């Protein structure tokens, strides 16, 4: 080829030659990479709850071949018997609460009086409520399955167990048995309600939290044993629906381990709404009688009621998984021990969700599953940081929190300032006739970095997001204070609390 001289706006021969060599070299590199490309990696997931199906979707986006094994339906217990149905029930109760207390806003059912025993003239049809929530759970499960199938995830209806660190034995719903080989296995089998030998649920008068939705009539008197998150949520919900409720709490306050100020607000609301909290009481037994139940406390006192809910914690579904064949370390409580990237003591086996003993939240399970997949497939990954997890208790009012607690500050673990503002001071809250709640912000002394926060009030689950972003991204109180909020809005109290914590230069 005869070299050409440079032309205006063009390139010289040497430049063109260098460009051709560069392209040729790049072609060689690309071709070399193609010839050495690793085969598709195979992931088998046992369990179709949030930890499992979120991991499956993420793995497909990263090009893995994915099989998920689930025996109850996609979404697992979170969708079918726990989170989706319970929060749908709570939505109905929340509507009752808002209308019941709407008389201050000048709203009432025609013909109802302020002393009307039927909650401002309202009544609940529990059979309709439960039919709707169960239908919604099934619909959500079906939608999850369709999404997985659309993304190319192989779904097996059945149960899986480990034969070794890379082999899963499948017992399918149709009776077939076979083995699946995998490059990695993710275990996301969840947990089930804990039962006491002296208070066995029968699904008619004595319930665990998966069985309540079989009721067609509102319980005349429901005793809830256990004042943790599950017990408090159901006690609040059935109280809101109009049932008489007694909450048996073994601790000094409801929601042990949660923010003490938030627990106090909730107890005050319970008292105002006629919900009886029996503190420092422990149930010894629950006996079925002809027309109801008798709950016997450790000190000999007895409570006669129509129904009883046992909300005394959960047990991981790790029995029968064949983990003893793999070397995976399991704690005395049956939880699978994992590190920050959801890896067990066996490199090819990961675990996510309630079976790991981390925070029992669907959001945490989903994050653990995605982190496991990213680590397994070599994608960028950040280890799980529980200090950035936002959680919400769906009582009325809601209680949301993120980051460190005020107890952590008082114990000396952190040098931080805490500021709390009552939510009823907020202009929008006054317009909405909100009588209860607060916003609390915790910031590191000196730089003012937001380390934690608590919101108690309507839709606290939505309001906590601003504080969650601040905690996870290391924002300061000044960052929050200098961000515009809508006026009037409940979120304005978050900005105000941040301004009160301004660090002067």
């Amino acid at each position: 080829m005869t070299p050409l001289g440079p032309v205006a706006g063009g390139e010289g021969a040497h430049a063109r030659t260098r460009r051709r060599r560069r392209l040729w070299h790049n072609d060689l590199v690309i071709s070399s990479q193609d010839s050495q490309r690793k085969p598709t990696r195979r992931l088998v997931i046992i369990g179709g709850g949030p930890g499992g199906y979120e991991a499956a979707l993420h793995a497909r986006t990263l090009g893995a071949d994915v099989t998920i094994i689930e025996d109850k339906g996609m979404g697992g217990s979170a969708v079918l018997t726990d989170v989706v149905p319970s929060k749908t029930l709570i939505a109905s109760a929340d509507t009752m609460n808002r209308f019941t207390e709407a008389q201050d806003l000048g709203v009432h059912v025609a013909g109802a009086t302020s002393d009307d025993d039927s909650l401002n003239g309202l009544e609940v049809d529990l059979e309709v409520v439960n039919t709707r929530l169960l239908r919604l759970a099934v619909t959500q499960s079906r939608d999850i399955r369709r999404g997985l199938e659309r993304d190319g995830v192989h779904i097996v209806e059945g149960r899986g167990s480990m034969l070794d660190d890379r082999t899963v034995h499948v017992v399918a719903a149709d009776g077939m048995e076979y083995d699946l080989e995998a490059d990695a296995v993710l275990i996301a089998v969840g947990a089930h309600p804990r039962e006491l030998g002296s208070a066995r649920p029968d699904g008619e008068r004595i319930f665990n939290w998966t069985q309540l939705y079989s009721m067609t009539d509102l319980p005349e008197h429901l005793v809830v044993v256990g004042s943790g998150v599950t017990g408090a949520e159901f006690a609040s919900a059935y109280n809101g629906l109009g049932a008489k409720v007694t909450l048996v709490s073994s601790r000094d306050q409801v929601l042990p381990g949660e923010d003490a100020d938030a627990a106090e607000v909730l107890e005050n609301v319970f008292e105002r709404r006629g919900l009886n909290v029996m503190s420092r009481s422990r149930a010894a037994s629950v006996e079925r009688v002809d027309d109801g139940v008798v709950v016997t406390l450790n000190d000999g006192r007895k409570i006669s009621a129509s129904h009883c809910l046992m909300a005394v914690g959960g047990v991981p579904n790790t029995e029968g998984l064949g983990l003893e064949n793999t070397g995976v370390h399991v704690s005395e409580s049956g939880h699978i021990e994992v590190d920050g990237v959801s890896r067990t003591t066996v490199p090819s086996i990961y675990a996510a969700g309630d079976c790991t003993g981390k925070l029992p939240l669907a959001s945490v399970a989903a994050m653990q599953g995605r982190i496991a997949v990213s680590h397994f497939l070599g994608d960028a990954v950040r280890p799980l940081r529980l200090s950035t997890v936002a959680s919400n208790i769906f009582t009325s009012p809601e209680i949301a929190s993120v980051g460190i607690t005020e107890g952590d500050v008082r114990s000396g673990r952190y040098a931080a300032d805490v500021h709390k503002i009552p939510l009823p001071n907020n202009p929008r809250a006054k317009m909405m006739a909100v009588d209860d709640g607060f916003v609390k912000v915790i910031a590191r002394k000196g730089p003012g970095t937001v380390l934690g926060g608590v919101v108690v009030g309507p839709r606290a689950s939505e309001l906590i997001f601003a504080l969650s972003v601040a905690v996870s991204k290391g924002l300061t109180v000044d960052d929050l204070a200098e961000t515009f909020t809508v006026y009037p809005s409940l979120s304005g109290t978050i900005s105000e609390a941040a301004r009160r914590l301004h660090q002067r230069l």
Side-chain angles (χ1 to χ4, degrees):
M1 179 180 292
T2 305
L4 297 175
V7 296
E11 62 181 357
H14 293 297
R16 284 196 301 274
T17 301
R18 285 196 301 271
R19 182 170 60 84
R20 284 196 298 269
R21 287 174 178 169
R22 215 166 33 239
L23 291 172
W24 177 74
H25 176 70
N26 288 342
D27 288 342
L28 282 182
V29 172
I30 293 171
S31 176
S32 174
Q33 288 175 340
D34 287 343
S35 65
Q36 297 178 16
R37 184 173 294 159
K38 295 180 180 179
T40 301
R41 308 200 72 187
R42 188 172 192 189
L43 173 68
V44 173
I45 302 172
I46 304 176
Y53 76 77
E54 287 280 355
L57 293 171
H58 186 47
R60 285 298 297 145
T61 65
L62 296 178
D65 180 67
V66 184
T67 299
I68 189 168
I69 307 166
E70 169 61 44
D71 65 336
K72 294 183 176 64
M74 284 302 122
S77 60
V79 169
L80 294 169
T81 60
D82 190 358
V83 179
V84 170
S86 68
K87 275 48 178 180
T88 308
L89 175 78
I90 288 167
S92 294
D94 183 54
T95 300
M96 288 283 287
N97 278 324
R98 284 186 286 131
F99 273 94
T100 299
E101 300 178 352
Q103 291 186 357
D104 288 344
L105 297 170
V107 178
H108 64 86
V109 177
T113 61
S114 59
D115 58 350
D116 199 319
D117 291 336
S118 58
L119 303 176
N120 198 3
L122 297 175
E123 292 181 347
V124 65
D125 188 330
L126 191 63
E127 185 174 9
V128 173
V129 172
N130 284 340
T131 298
R132 174 179 179 266
L133 64 85
L134 290 174
R135 183 175 64 246
L136 182 60
V138 171
T139 300
Q140 179 71 4
S141 176
R142 184 176 65 242
D143 289 346
I144 292 171
R145 180 179 183 122
R146 287 175 177 172
L148 290 167
E149 290 174 336
R150 185 171 56 249
D151 281 9
V153 175
H154 311 296
I155 297 175
V156 175
E157 295 181 7
R159 299 182 64 85
S161 59
M162 303 299 302
L163 291 181
D164 57 43
D165 63 339
R166 296 180 187 271
T167 309
V168 177
H169 180 67
V170 176
V171 179
D174 60 7
M176 289 189 63
E177 296 190 32
Y178 52 90
D179 298 335
L180 292 175
E181 300 293 331
D183 295 301
V185 176
L186 172 66
I187 299 173
V189 292
H192 62 273
R194 183 184 302 280
E195 295 184 0
L196 303 181
S198 58
R200 294 290 186 188
D202 59 16
E204 295 179 355
R205 293 285 179 175
I206 307 172
F207 301 96
N208 61 40
W209 69 72
T210 72
Q211 300 170 328
L212 283 166
Y213 314 114
S214 62
M215 285 193 290
T216 57
D217 296 310
L218 195 68
E220 181 181 334
H221 181 193
L222 176 67
V223 174
V224 178
V225 178
S227 63
V229 173
T230 301
E233 287 185 345
F234 277 112
S236 177
Y238 279 95
N239 172 253
L241 292 172
K244 178 182 178 181
V245 178
T246 298
L247 179 60
V248 178
S249 172
S250 62
R251 305 293 184 89
D252 292 337
Q253 66 171 39
V254 300
L255 301 174
E258 300 294 331
D259 183 86
D261 292 336
E264 182 180 1
V265 169
L266 186 61
E267 286 187 342
N268 291 338
V269 172
F270 281 173
E271 182 179 1
R272 188 176 72 230
R273 292 176 177 167
L275 193 157
N276 180 31
V277 178
M278 302 184 68
S279 302
R280 297 179 296 280
S281 302
R282 189 179 296 274
S285 66
V286 181
E287 179 185 2
R288 171 82 181 266
V289 294
D290 291 339
D291 58 349
V293 297
V294 173
V295 180
T296 302
L297 305 181
N298 274 354
D299 59 10
R301 288 177 295 165
K302 295 181 182 293
I303 308 169
S304 178
S306 62
H307 300 80
C308 179
L309 166 65
M310 300 299 297
V312 289
V315 179
N317 296 323
T318 51
E319 187 175 351
L321 276 180
L323 296 177
E324 65 278 3
N325 301 326
T326 64
V328 167
H329 195 276
V330 179
S331 68
E332 291 185 6
S333 62
H335 292 97
I336 300 173
E337 296 188 1
V338 294
D339 60 16
V341 293
S342 307
R343 182 176 45 189
T344 70
T345 50
V346 176
S348 60
I349 301 177
Y350 296 79
D354 291 4
C355 65
T356 66
K358 303 296 183 182
L359 291 177
L361 300 171
S363 58
V364 172
M367 184 65 76
Q368 284 182 291
R370 290 190 292 265
I371 288 173
V373 165
S374 294
H375 184 267
F376 160 56
L377 294 174
D379 195 27
V381 60
R382 289 183 179 179
L384 179 69
R385 289 196 301 153
L386 295 179
S387 62
T388 64
V389 174
S391 62
N392 190 72
I393 302 169
F394 289 86
T395 48
S396 179
E398 293 183 7
I399 300 171
S401 59
V402 65
I404 71 169
T405 67
E406 187 171 2
D408 292 328
V409 178
R410 290 180 175 176
S411 68
R413 292 182 57 197
Y414 294 88
D417 295 312
V418 181
H419 193 81
K420 182 179 77 170
I421 297 180
L423 197 60
N425 292 354
N426 177 285
R428 183 70 186 279
K430 293 175 182 177
M431 300 169 193
M432 298 167 60
V434 172
D435 296 324
D436 309 286
F438 62 81
V439 170
K440 179 184 293 185
V441 178
I442 304 171
R444 188 183 300 278
K445 286 184 180 295
T449 308
V450 180
L451 299 178
V454 181
V455 178
V456 179
R459 299 292 185 268
S461 52
E462 312 293 342
L463 293 171
I464 197 65
F465 183 68
L467 291 173
S468 182
V469 170
V471 170
S472 63
K473 300 303 179 183
L475 303 182
T476 67
V477 289
D478 288 344
D479 291 326
L480 284 180
E482 293 166 2
T483 301
F484 279 99
T485 57
V486 173
Y487 180 86
S489 68
L490 298 181
S491 60
T493 299
I494 296 175
S495 179
E496 182 181 353
R499 285 195 296 273
R500 302 289 183 87
L501 289 169
H502 170 65
Q503 305 293 313
R504 295 189 63 183
L505 296 179

